């Protein structure tokens, strides 16, 4: 770390003498934040020397269980890694009663090289590859989430909560302003928290189900910062929801009858002067088309990165705003890759495949990698879909978790672009987690088969 980076800590504590603790964390491959709580007097040292965390922290599945197949547990003696602060991410955690700051960490080996299994470094790798080609990604991540009644969730039967009026919505009512008004105390606090944290929270939408919302994060010229924003935003939403007596979930499909929650990645490429290389009318831009071609060509083998859990695959249904096969269109939400409408200078693509449960670093790295693949190989995406894509696209994406993991395991693209060791660790975690999941006997099995089989 540089003296300038360390000065960030000193300036922050001088501006916030009330701070009593700092939550310092990294995001593991499953998308969970794990780390330590530091005292203010420890912060300067963390910037100067980093903080040690055991290497097994990057081997954990969604339950927090070690996955020995990663080689990051006993094979390494569970030795420490040097986790360093990410400059610009030291901010307040405004939802906590104890005055608290938070700080994003990223992991390095003892020789100073990036830890291969850290998902944040996967973004850094592909960002560096793009920039070496004179292509600078401009990115925004858009997240959908549900608010759930806390008591119902504790009882194992999630349902939408009631807002300030006491009314509990049970209808779809997409884009209903009244829903935004009913939940305004929660939503207002989210926006206030985002301002305090420096997050570019923008448009708010009541989505296509009771208790489902979307808040759009503004574009960032630093792709790593866009992924950091998404991680910090999810923490903010969950923390504020708890204060209001709700549970906020980014689970891909919490209700069978209602729409799933997606993570939409908006991306364009700029030149070194900041000019949008995707700008132009309609389909004329060849760079944009090649980027789309890469996303379509790599979509099947990448599904395991966009859909990391068993529940993720319940979202992929026809007429659901979630994909069933590779396709693209112009201002068309029935396809997984959408070229947005608007002024030609703002032209960008929206990749709509990932669920809200995906790790933002991994999802973004995979999208950028697909774009670069298409550009380098000049992959033609074919003609855009016009009209209802669900009536024209043949379902061809992996429809189950085991199938998606098998496709990713057979991929040449993923390890080549994201890092061989990173993909090896990620797939080891998800294979072990999948095996554990399918070894459990759910209540539905007893209901269907116990008496009649």
């Amino acid at each position: 770390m540089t003296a300038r980076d360390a000065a960030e800590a000193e300036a922050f504590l001088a501006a916030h003498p009330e701070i009593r603790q700092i939550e310092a964390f990294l995001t593991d491959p499953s998308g969970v934040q794990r780390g330590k709580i530091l005292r203010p007097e420890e912060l300067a040292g963390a910037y100067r020397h980093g903080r040690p965390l055991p290497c097994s922290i990057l081997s954990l599945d969604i339950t927090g269980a070690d996955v020995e197949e990663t080689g990051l547990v006993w094979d390494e003696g569970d030795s420490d890694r040097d986790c360093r602060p990410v400059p610009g991410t030291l901010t307040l955690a405004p939802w906590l009663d104890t005055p608290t700051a938070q700080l994003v960490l990223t992991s390095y080996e003892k020789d100073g090289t990036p830890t291969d299994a850290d998902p944040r470094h996967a973004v850094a790798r592909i960002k560096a590859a793009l920039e070496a080609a004179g292509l600078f990604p401009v990115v925004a991540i858009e997240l959908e989430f549900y608010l759930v009644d806390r008591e119902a969730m504790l009882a194992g039967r999630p349902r939408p909560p009631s807002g300030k009026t006491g009314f509990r919505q049970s209808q779809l009512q997409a884009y209903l302003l009244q829903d935004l008004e009913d939940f305004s105390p929660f939503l207002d606090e989210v926006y206030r928290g985002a301002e305090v944290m420096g997050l570019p929270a923008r448009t708010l939408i009541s989505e296509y189900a009771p208790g489902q919302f979307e808040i759009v994060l503004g574009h960032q010229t630093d792709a790593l910062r866009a992924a950091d924003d998404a991680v910090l935003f999810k923490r903010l939403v969950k923390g504020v929801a708890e204060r209001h007596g709700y549970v906020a979930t980014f689970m891909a499909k919490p209700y069978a009858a209602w729409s799933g929650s997606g993570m939409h990645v908006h991306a364009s490429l700029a030149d070194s002067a900041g000019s949008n290389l995707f700008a132009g009318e309609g389909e004329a831009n060849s760079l944009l088309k090649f980027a789309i071609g890469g996303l379509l060509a790599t979509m099947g083998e990448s599904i395991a990165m966009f859909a990391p859990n068993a529940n993720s695959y319940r979202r992929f249904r026809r007429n659901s705003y979630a994909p069933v096969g590779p396709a693209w269109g112009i201002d068309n939400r029935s396809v997984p890759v959408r070229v947005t409408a608007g002024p030609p200078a703002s032209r960008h693509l929206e990749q709509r495949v990932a669920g809200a449960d995906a790790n933002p670093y991994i999802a973004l790295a995979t999208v950028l990698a697909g774009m670069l693949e298409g550009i380098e190989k000049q992959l033609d995406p074919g003609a855009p879909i016009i009209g209802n894509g669900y009536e024209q696209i043949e379902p061809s994406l992996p429809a189950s978790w085991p199938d998606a993991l098998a496709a990713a395991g057979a991929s040449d693209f993923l390890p080549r672009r994201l890092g061989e060791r990173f993909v090896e660790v990620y797939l080891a975690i998800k294979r072990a987690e999948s095996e554990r999941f399918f070894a459990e006997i759910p209540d539905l099995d007893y209901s269907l088969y116990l008496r009649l089989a």
Side-chain angles (χ1 to χ4, degrees), residues 387-408:
N388 186 350
Y390 290 106
E391 295 179 348
Q392 304 173 57
I393 302 168
E394 188 67 28
S396 59
L397 297 178
S400 72
W401 201 9
D403 287 348
L405 292 172

Side-chain angles (χ1 to χ4, degrees), residues 106-446:
T106 191
S107 178
Y108 289 85
E109 299 296 305
K110 297 187 189 323
D111 63 2
T113 58
T115 299
D116 289 332
D118 185 339
R120 196 174 188 276
H121 291 310
V123 182
R125 288 184 201 103
I126 193 63
K127 175 175 178 278
L130 283 162
E131 291 177 353
L135 305 170
F136 297 83
V138 179
V139 174
I141 295 176
E142 183 177 284
L143 284 158
E144 297 167 340
F145 63 92
Y146 275 92
L147 291 182
V148 178
D149 181 278
R150 179 189 283 169
E151 296 304 317
M153 187 214 69
L154 291 173
R157 297 290 181 185
R159 66 175 181 176
S162 55
K164 65 181 182 182
T165 64
F167 176 77
R168 192 184 310 277
Q169 181 64 267
S170 61
Q171 301 170 342
L172 298 182
Q173 299 293 0
Y175 304 106
L176 184 67
L177 289 177
Q178 200 166 5
D179 272 358
L180 304 182
E181 294 165 3
D182 284 351
F183 289 95
S184 59
F186 160 76
L187 295 167
D188 288 347
E189 188 170 342
V190 168
Y191 272 106
R192 286 195 299 271
E195 185 174 355
V196 166
M197 291 168 62
L199 298 177
R202 300 290 187 257
T203 306
L204 167 65
I205 299 169
S206 173
E207 271 289 350
Y208 201 63
Q212 189 185 35
F213 300 93
E214 175 187 87
I215 295 179
V216 176
L217 296 173
H219 285 77
Q220 294 280 16
T221 55
D222 180 349
L224 280 164
R225 182 67 217 193
D228 292 335
D229 284 349
V231 167
L232 292 168
F233 175 75
K234 290 177 77 170
R235 282 174 52 80
L236 171 66
V237 168
K238 290 181 178 182
V240 173
E242 291 287 340
R243 288 181 63 88
H244 288 262
Y246 310 133
V247 172
T249 179
F250 292 84
M251 184 177 177
K253 186 74 170 173
Y255 301 107
W258 295 333
S259 63
S261 292
M263 177 192 300
H264 300 158
V265 178
H266 293 252
S268 60
L269 296 172
D271 62 18
S272 59
S275 298
N276 183 7
L277 296 173
F278 286 177
E281 294 285 358
E283 305 172 49
N285 188 299
S286 59
L287 192 73
L288 172 57
K289 290 185 71 173
F290 292 148
I292 294 168
L295 292 176
L296 302 189
T298 59
M299 192 173 291
E301 61 200 291
S302 301
I303 287 295
M305 321 306 278
F306 300 131
N309 307 306
N311 175 263
S312 308
Y313 296 84
R314 302 188 189 281
R315 177 173 158 263
F316 299 138
R317 297 289 184 271
R318 286 186 176 276
N319 304 317
S320 66
Y321 294 102
V324 294
W328 74 287
I330 299 171
D331 195 20
N332 187 335
R333 289 181 172 85
S334 70
V335 296
V337 179
R338 168 179 172 255
V339 175
T340 58
S346 69
R347 188 78 66 238
H348 65 276
L349 62 82
E350 177 190 19
Q351 204 264 26
R352 300 168 54 81
V353 179
D357 58 338
N359 183 319
Y361 297 111
I362 297 175
L364 178 55
T366 308
V367 168
L368 295 178
M371 292 167 60
L372 180 58
E373 184 86 350
I375 290 167
E376 287 189 350
K377 294 185 175 180
Q378 298 191 358
L379 298 177
D380 186 348
I385 293 287
I386 298 172
N388 186 350
Y390 290 106
E391 295 179 348
Q392 304 173 57
I393 302 168
E394 188 67 28
S396 59
L397 297 178
S400 72
W401 201 9
D403 287 348
L405 292 172
S411 172
D412 161 73
F413 155 73
L414 290 171
R416 179 164 42 83
R417 293 296 185 185
L418 303 186
E420 185 174 348
R421 180 64 177 140
F422 170 75
V423 173
E424 177 186 320
V425 169
Y426 178 79
L427 292 181
I429 291 169
K430 291 303 166 182
R431 286 179 184 130
E433 190 178 320
S434 174
E435 290 173 6
R436 291 169 184 170
F437 178 88
F438 287 108
E440 295 292 326
I441 310 298
D443 289 344
L444 184 60
D445 276 20
Y446 296 125

